[in-house]
Amino acid sequence: MTIQVKHYIDGEFTHGTGTSQITVTNPANNQPIAVINAATSAEVHAAIASAKAAFKTWKEVPVSERARVMLRYQHLLKEHHDELATILAKETGKTFEDAKGDVWRGIEVVEHACNVASLLMGETVENVARSIDTYSYTQPLGVCAGITPFNFPAMIPLWMFPLAIACGNTFILKPSEQDPMTPQRLVELFVEAGAPKGVLQLVHGDKTAVDILLADPAIKAISFVGSVAVGQYIYKTGTDNLKRVQAFAGAKNHCVIMPDANKQQVINNLVGASVGAAGQRCMALSVAIFVGAAKEWIPELKDALAKVRPGLWDDKEAGYGPVISPAAKARVLKLIAQGKEEGAECVLDGSHFTVKGYEEGNWVGPTMFTKVTTDMSIYKEEIFGPVLCCMESDSLDEAIELVNASPYGNGTSIFTASGAAARKYQHEVEVGQVGINVPIPVPLPFFSFTGWKGSFYGDQHAYGKQAVRFYTETKTITSRWYESDIAIATAPNMSIN
Ligand code: NAD
């Protein structure tokens, strides 16, 4: 049965009236599972108008009441955790365990948003001049919008709207059209948590809907997560239209393996971090640089990767699921073929992998290349598939130089037993999130998600204190009160009763 996906506009769930239809498919067999009537221009404008009207009252709601909505929301999300993970797994193909992680990482941001009163605290200095005090408040911006990718349909929307709304803004979410049902359920639960009408809107669609959000002057800030080309487009267009924009884009994450590292831990960590979630994580490790004698572990790594078997979302033995679409699979296969043509050695080739009974699905088996060089397409492009590129270097300095020459800077890891090597790496590497014997160093929500270079356009990052700055303006007040006024106020004819 095909499900009709719902928008949430001006406090109503609606199938919409758009005639442009988008089909949502099960990545395991490419059968349709849902259909979206892409939002019309009138529907997107109606969502913006409703969010604009709701801002007037929502910004006046006391901060502790706004926080209470988040408290109820985190409770509901936990209560519906497995249900959300099931919806998510079915539309993304992720394994159930992985889907649960996607939901959980989002819940953690909602927990952070429950603490919004402390996060909003401004600064004060008494007596900046005689009888003069200066203090600052943080105030919400107005209507904010979020445009999210397919690969974390729970976590990434939850990076955005709970904090933006807790800060007093209203919000329009335009999730990926490839997996819209998880965001729909997130919005239903938010309404159940007591969010007043108009505070959150959900519009489904593609570039057409995004372009309206980018152009409308009522939208004050845009949060985007997705591919490099779209991220650059959103950042340029949004800022050109004088909006605040944070755009999280693609990545090519390197890890450096020193010969003194714990071999077994390196192998276990690398397997999960490279092909887990079919390599469709912006923090996936896609390049492994083996320093010196560590290269002797490459055959063992290959053997470990070869044991990983993709499968269906509810197959408990499956290491990961299919990639999201036939187009994504075709891209990965093309890059694997290019890697071979350009001279890399494909020691493990998942190009022809399939799952019995699900031959039409977007399967790619674990794939590993050695002898990769920086001029190859498999090195230069984000593959976003279960493909690991192995390289070798003679020294830590050489490895750092290689990592720093990459145009991306989302995440990186070093595996070593040496504090000195780890300290040198964390200090010198030009990447925003660094793991030391930790393969995917995604910060918890009291920090921020701090990608650098071509992986991020903007200045304030997602969640943590930075997101609160992104979703607010600072108002600084300088006040003077004359002591002589006290005498007037306490004069007999001024008494209160
Ligand atoms: P995508 O760029 O194709 O789509 C992201 C969003 O942009 C979707 O909502 C989509 O509808 C919209 N969109 C697509 N094309 C558009 C266009 N031409 N104009 C306006 N809007 C458009 O990304 P995706 O394939 O869904 O997600 C995968 C990418 O996201 C990868 O590159 C991955 O690295 C990146 N990502 C980055 C981070 C990070 O934090 N840096 C996190 C997750 C994913």
Side-chain angles (χ1 to χ4, degrees):
M1 198 184 70
T2 310
I3 298 162
Q4 182 88 43
V5 177
K6 291 180 198 147
H7 310 270
Y8 184 62
I9 299 171
D10 194 27
E12 300 288 335
F13 284 98
T14 165
H15 292 150
T17 56
T19 49
S20 164
Q21 286 207 326
I22 302 169
T23 304
V24 184
T25 51
N26 173 359
N29 59 12
N30 285 311
Q31 289 302 305
I33 48 176
V35 65
I36 306 170
N37 294 337
T40 61
S41 164
E43 284 160 350
V44 180
H45 280 117
I48 297 170
S50 169
K52 199 175 162 186
F55 177 63
K56 290 196 186 119
T57 46
W58 181 245
K59 72 182 167 70
E60 301 302 337
V61 170
V63 65
S64 44
E65 277 183 45
R66 299 200 305 258
R68 267 177 225 127
V69 174
M70 300 304 150
L71 279 164
R72 287 193 293 274
Y73 191 41
Q74 67 93 28
H75 176 76
L76 281 171
L77 289 171
K78 282 179 184 161
E79 205 173 272
H80 292 265
H81 180 258
D82 283 9
E83 177 214 332
L84 277 161
T86 307
I87 298 169
L88 194 155
K90 285 183 177 170
E91 64 179 346
T92 60
K94 284 189 186 190
T95 62
F96 190 49
E97 280 309 308
D98 203 18
K100 285 199 282 189
D102 189 331
V103 177
W104 183 253
R105 296 309 297 258
I107 291 175
E108 289 178 323
V109 184
V110 180
E111 286 174 345
H112 179 64
C114 294
N115 191 31
V116 66
S118 306
L119 293 166
L120 284 172
M121 281 180 178
E123 296 171 320
T124 60
V125 176
E126 196 187 33
N127 259 2
V128 291
R130 282 192 195 282
S131 302
I132 295 186
D133 305 324
T134 298
Y135 45 94
S136 66
Y137 291 128
T138 39
Q139 295 194 338
L141 303 176
V143 185
C144 303
I147 299 145
T148 55
F150 79 85
N151 68 328
F152 284 98
M155 178 185 83
I156 292 179
L158 292 173
W159 278 7
M160 300 176 182
F161 74 80
L163 267 170
I165 291 174
C167 287
N169 301 285
T170 56
F171 200 90
I172 301 181
L173 175 65
K174 203 305 283 173
S176 170
E177 64 278 26
Q178 299 191 84
D179 44 18
M181 288 182 287
T182 308
Q184 180 186 313
R185 192 71 189 117
L186 292 178
V187 172
E188 287 166 357
L189 293 171
F190 196 63
V191 174
E192 205 179 317
K197 174 178 157 180
V199 164
L200 177 62
Q201 318 269 337
L202 173 68
V203 292
H204 297 284
D206 46 26
K207 180 172 165 50
T208 316
V210 172
D211 283 344
I212 296 170
L213 297 173
L214 286 174
D216 196 307
I219 309 274
K220 302 299 176 201
I222 303 251
S223 300
F224 168 85
V225 180
S227 59
V228 173
V230 183
Q232 290 180 348
Y233 169 73
I234 302 261
Y235 187 73
K236 284 185 195 162
T237 316
T239 52
D240 222 31
N241 289 335
L242 306 178
K243 298 182 195 310
R244 202 175 273 198
V245 181
Q246 51 173 200
F248 299 82
K252 195 83 188 174
N253 305 309
H254 298 65
C255 73
V256 171
I257 300 127
M258 299 298 287
D260 61 0
N262 179 316
K263 181 178 76 173
Q264 206 46 54
Q265 281 176 9
V266 167
I267 291 172
N268 294 346
N269 281 311
L270 260 181
V271 168
S274 59
V275 303
Q280 299 178 118
R281 291 181 181 133
C282 64
M283 288 289 280
L285 287 179
S286 50
V287 181
I289 308 171
F290 293 84
V291 178
K295 65 173 179 258
E296 284 158 26
W297 306 345
I298 292 176
E300 268 184 73
L301 173 63
K302 186 205 94 175
D303 292 345
L305 275 172
K307 288 189 190 127
V308 182
R309 185 181 54 75
L312 299 175
W313 73 271
D314 53 356
D315 173 354
K316 289 194 171 58
E317 304 300 314
Y320 61 86
V323 295
I324 191 71
S325 64
K329 175 172 172 171
R331 242 191 101 257
V332 176
L333 295 191
K334 185 170 159 231
L335 279 160
I336 294 176
Q338 271 176 301
K340 293 174 193 166
E341 277 161 30
E342 291 172 6
E345 201 171 311
C346 189
V347 292
L348 184 66
D349 185 357
S351 307
H352 305 290
F353 181 87
T354 187
V355 170
K356 204 162 175 284
Y358 289 82
E359 289 78 5
E360 299 306 313
N362 312 315
W363 306 105
V364 183
T367 300
M368 184 169 136
F369 281 99
T370 57
K371 304 199 171 26
V372 175
T373 54
T374 53
D375 55 339
M376 294 176 179
S377 311
I378 49 168
Y379 179 77
K380 288 192 286 192
E381 288 193 34
E382 182 184 36
I383 303 176
F384 226 51
V387 181
L388 178 64
C389 295
C390 296
M391 304 173 87
E392 293 168 27
S393 96
D394 291 331
S395 67
L396 178 57
D397 279 314
E398 197 183 304
I400 293 173
E401 207 174 304
L402 208 163
V403 180
N404 286 351
S406 166
Y408 299 107
N410 218 29
T412 188
S413 304
I414 183 167
F415 291 93
T416 182
S418 155
R423 170 67 177 67
K424 178 181 169 68
Y425 192 73
Q426 77 175 35
H427 183 65
E428 292 183 14
V429 79
E430 292 163 10
V431 175
Q433 299 170 106
V434 183
I436 297 171
N437 299 314
V438 170
I440 303 191
V442 176
L444 282 169
F446 22 90
F447 291 91
S448 294
F449 188 92
T450 54
W452 279 18
K453 299 201 283 188
S455 298
F456 178 69
Y457 301 96
D459 48 11
Q460 303 289 356
H461 292 84
Y463 58 79
K465 292 186 187 124
Q466 294 196 19
V468 173
R469 281 191 209 113
F470 181 76
Y471 292 125
T472 56
E473 282 285 18
T474 305
K475 184 178 279 178
T476 311
I477 297 147
T478 300
S479 73
R480 171 160 51 197
W481 294 101
Y482 296 96
E483 273 193 33
S484 53
D485 289 350
I486 301 173
I488 295 163
T490 54
N493 61 351
M494 294 290 289
S495 71
I496 293 163
N497 51 352

